[in-house]
C-alpha cells in the first residue's frame, strides 16, 4: 500500500544540524483559486490552516552550497513571526518540533 497524506517526522530527522531562517515569512499562493490580479492564499488540505513559507538554510556542513537553502511551509492561522536573530549574526533559528513531509505534486496543478 502506498503512503497516503503527510508523513509526520521530528525536526531533528529533517535538519539534524539545525537550520536557520534566511528569508521573510510569506503567504503561499493558491494557484488554482487565484486569478489575474486576485491573490488567494493556500490552505492545508487536511486542516484548512493558512499556508506560509520561509526560506531556511540547512546547517549540515556536508550539504552542497546550491542545495543549502530550501523553502519550508508553515501552517498557522496568522502570519508567523520568527524569533529575533542570534546575537551578532543575521540568522534566526525556527522553533518547532514536528514537521510533516509531503510531496510537492499535491500543492499545485501543472498548467
Amino acid at each position: 500500500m502506498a503512503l497516503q497524506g503527510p508523513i509526520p517526522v521530528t525536526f531533528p530527522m529533517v535538519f539534524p544540524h539545525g537550520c536557520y531562517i534566511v528569508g521573510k515569512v510569506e503567504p503561499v499562493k493558491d494557484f488554482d483559486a487565484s486569478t489575474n490580479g486576485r491573490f488567494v492564499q493556500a490552505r492545508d488540505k487536511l486542516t484548512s490552516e493558512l499556508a506560509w513559507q520561509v526560506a531556511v538554510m540547512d546547517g549540515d556542513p556536508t550539504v552542497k552550497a546550491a542545495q543549502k537553502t530550501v523553502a519550508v511551509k508553515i501552517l498557522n492561522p496568522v502570519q508567523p513571526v520568527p524569533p529575533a536573530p542570534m546575537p551578532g549574526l543575521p540568522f534566526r533559528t525556527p522553533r518547532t518540533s514536528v514537521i510533516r513531509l509531503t510531496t510537492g505534486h499535491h500543492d499545485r496543478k501543472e498548467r
Side-chain angles (χ1 to χ4, degrees), residues 3-4 26 40-41 52 58 63 86 102:
L3 292 173
Q4 302 277 329
E26 299 176 326
V40 177
Q41 188 170 355
W52 307 87
D58 193 332
V63 174
M86 297 179 342
T102 60

Side-chain angles (χ1 to χ4, degrees), residues 40-61:
V40 177
Q41 188 170 355
R43 290 187 173 269
D44 182 67
K45 290 174 180 33
L46 295 177
T47 66
S48 295
E49 291 254 35
L50 289 172
W52 307 87
Q53 71 181 18
V54 65
V56 300
M57 184 174 61
D58 193 332
D60 187 342

Side-chain angles (χ1 to χ4, degrees), residues 43-102:
R43 290 187 173 269
D44 182 67
K45 290 174 180 33
L46 295 177
T47 66
S48 295
E49 291 254 35
L50 289 172
W52 307 87
Q53 71 181 18
V54 65
V56 300
M57 184 174 61
D58 193 332
D60 187 342
T62 65
V63 174
K64 293 180 182 178
Q67 299 170 335
K68 274 200 163 297
T69 303
V70 296
V72 173
K73 288 189 180 171
I74 303 165
L75 303 179
N76 209 53
V78 296
Q79 185 170 9
V81 177
M86 297 179 342
L89 296 173
F91 304 119
R92 301 166 187 259
T93 55
R95 294 180 290 226
T96 188
S97 57
V98 177
I99 296 175
R100 295 184 317 160
L101 296 180
T102 60

